[in-house]
Amino acid sequence: MATTVDQVTQRRRGTGLIAHDSTLSAGGYTLIAPQTADGHVYLIDIHGQVAHEWKLPVRAGRHAVILPNGNLGYNGNHRESPNLYAPWSMWHGGDFYEVRPDGEVVWRYEDPTHHHDAQWLPNGHLLYAACAPVPQGFAERVPGGTSLAADELMYGDVIREVDRTGRLVWEWKAWEYLEPEDFPIHPGFGRYHWPLVNGLGMAADGTVLMSLRTTSGIIGVDKASGRVKLHIPPSVVSHQHAPVPLENGRVLTFDNGNFRQGAHVAFSRVLEIDPVSHEIAWSYQDEMVNAFYTAFMGSAQRLWNGNTHITESATGRLFEVTPQGELVWEFILPWFGEYPDAAARRTGPGRLNTVFQTWRYQAEQLPWLSR
């Protein structure tokens, strides 16, 4: 009798819980908002079982988090966002929800120009990346990248912070503070978005960390003045995502590795970097380096026991490593689907289990959860 072979390679290799060392893992619950799951958000336990589930009215634009009050903060894909350029449909969010565990929506905010990351701040404000066309004549000053079409605009990043009423309380425009000559676009990227802030982090001293995708590197912006106070350059990182400020003053980041200088294969790694000296204090990469790689998205989270939770986005692979680099937990997302709109499928084709970022939580952060 003939058998049908699953043509989805990632699913054929196995999904769900792959590995778990209960003596070394931090334990807890992992929050997952798959990109192609039609608005489903899953909270899984350490054994890979779904402990709770939400269904949002729009698919995930980017990711979801658990807020300090126990509610879900959700970054949804805005249905009416304009199609600014080719990959925009896959990258944007812009429809934000705060949702109780029972599914009741208690807050909503919309900005169709939002893309990539957003941070739900402790004071209840929302910090997020948006974009707008750069001023006339500015694009000509930006070096590098592939040429713009005659009728194509260059968009620049606008970082915004809004309060609970939706009032704008802070705004930062890349072209007002960055010298374009100092931030050239890598030849492998298009010129439609500069410098493409794909990740944000808020340090305790008010420094806003920004990950620059197309130019590579991480900057830290003084919120009061808007000036750049630190810069981790492309010589240290390679088209990274998710800059996370740590309590020790260092920055944890997911270093994707696109166009990595001096490497004959593409590979990803996670780095803990001193933002002043640029020294790498800790790193993780697979011993067969190209066995761990995602060309887009990705994140890392330092856990309460010192371990690090890692999201290898393109493959839907989540795993946890010890400070010594020993893998102690691994889970492959079993939720596969295509992007529902044709524009997104052109950039991200196929049946995917992709996820932007995932986060691990302790049981005490989820007091409403029936266990």
Side-chain angles (χ1 to χ4, degrees):
M1 181 177 177
T3 59
T4 301
V5 175
D6 190 344
Q7 296 304 298
V8 180
T9 300
Q10 184 67 15
R11 187 166 57 196
R12 192 172 61 248
R13 291 173 175 172
T15 64
L17 187 67
I18 303 298
H20 179 212
D21 184 335
S22 60
T23 63
L24 294 177
S25 170
Y29 296 81
T30 305
L31 186 68
I32 306 168
Q35 294 284 282
T36 58
D38 191 32
H40 288 274
V41 180
Y42 305 97
L43 183 72
I44 64 168
D45 64 22
I46 203 64
H47 305 291
Q49 301 300 309
V50 175
H52 193 77
E53 182 178 340
W54 295 261
K55 174 65 174 73
L56 279 296
V58 295
R59 70 172 176 88
R62 295 287 86 180
H63 64 303
V65 297
I66 298 295
L67 302 174
N69 62 6
N71 289 345
L72 181 78
Y74 182 73
N75 183 342
N77 183 266
H78 200 288
R79 287 195 176 104
E80 298 177 9
S81 181
N83 196 22
L84 301 183
Y85 51 75
W88 179 259
S89 183
M90 194 179 85
W91 288 354
H92 80 263
D95 198 356
F96 297 96
Y97 295 82
E98 181 181 340
V99 187
R100 289 168 43 89
D102 62 6
E104 179 188 356
V105 176
V106 297
W107 187 73
R108 186 184 180 192
Y109 175 76
E110 299 175 71
D111 185 341
T113 67
H114 164 263
H115 66 89
H116 288 84
D117 205 5
Q119 298 288 311
W120 301 71
L121 304 180
N123 63 358
H125 291 188
L126 185 69
L127 178 75
Y128 64 93
C131 69
V134 299
Q136 187 174 4
F138 188 88
E140 289 76 11
R141 296 178 54 200
V142 178
T146 55
S147 298
L148 283 168
D151 59 346
E152 191 175 12
L153 292 174
M154 175 182 283
Y155 290 85
D157 290 287
V158 180
I159 311 305
R160 296 180 176 134
E161 180 183 342
V162 296
D163 64 16
R164 292 288 289 186
T165 69
R167 180 175 63 93
L168 182 68
V169 298
W170 186 74
E171 187 173 63
W172 183 91
K173 298 176 180 177
W175 58 84
E176 293 181 349
Y177 294 98
L178 302 182
E179 292 296 330
E181 297 81 5
D182 296 335
F183 294 89
I185 298 173
H186 188 278
F189 287 98
R191 289 176 53 81
Y192 44 78
H193 196 154
W194 172 90
L196 212 171
V197 174
N198 64 12
L200 295 166
M202 179 67 81
D205 66 356
T207 300
V208 182
L209 298 177
M210 304 180 189
S211 167
L212 313 182
R213 172 65 160 170
T214 59
T215 66
S216 199
I218 298 169
I219 59 173
V221 171
D222 176 69
K223 203 173 178 189
S225 68
R227 295 189 180 93
V228 175
K229 60 187 294 187
L230 66 88
H231 181 202
I232 300 172
S235 59
V236 180
V237 289
S238 176
H239 306 284
Q240 69 302 308
H241 282 76
V244 179
L246 300 178
E247 292 182 357
N248 60 15
R250 298 174 185 145
V251 176
L252 188 71
T253 191
F254 189 100
D255 187 38
N256 291 74
N258 308 69
F259 313 113
R260 191 183 298 282
Q261 291 183 352
H264 70 284
V265 295
F267 65 93
S268 296
R269 56 184 183 167
V270 174
L271 303 177
E272 182 180 333
I273 307 167
D274 185 312
V276 178
S277 69
H278 302 160
E279 293 182 0
I280 296 173
W282 180 86
S283 67
Y284 170 82
Q285 62 190 49
D286 199 289
E287 64 177 56
M288 187 181 81
V289 290
N290 57 317
F292 169 37
Y293 177 64
T294 177
F296 52 87
M297 302 188 283
S299 65
Q301 174 193 10
R302 183 59 44 82
L303 300 177
W304 46 91
N305 71 341
N307 288 357
T308 301
H309 171 74
I310 300 171
T311 304
E312 183 182 323
S313 294
T315 59
R317 177 178 177 241
L318 319 179
F319 60 102
E320 176 187 351
V321 299
T322 66
Q324 294 74 37
E326 182 179 356
L327 190 146
V328 296
W329 183 84
E330 184 175 16
F331 178 86
I332 308 298
L333 271 63
W335 305 287
F336 288 80
E338 290 186 296
Y339 279 104
D341 50 299
R345 289 197 298 272
R346 282 193 291 270
T347 304
R351 289 164 286 180
L352 309 174
N353 64 343
T354 305
V355 62
F356 181 59
Q357 298 175 357
T358 66
W359 300 98
R360 185 82 66 83
Y361 296 94
Q362 294 177 278
E364 49 264 38
Q365 295 174 278
L366 308 162
W368 45 263
L369 184 64
S370 298
R371 292 181 288 274

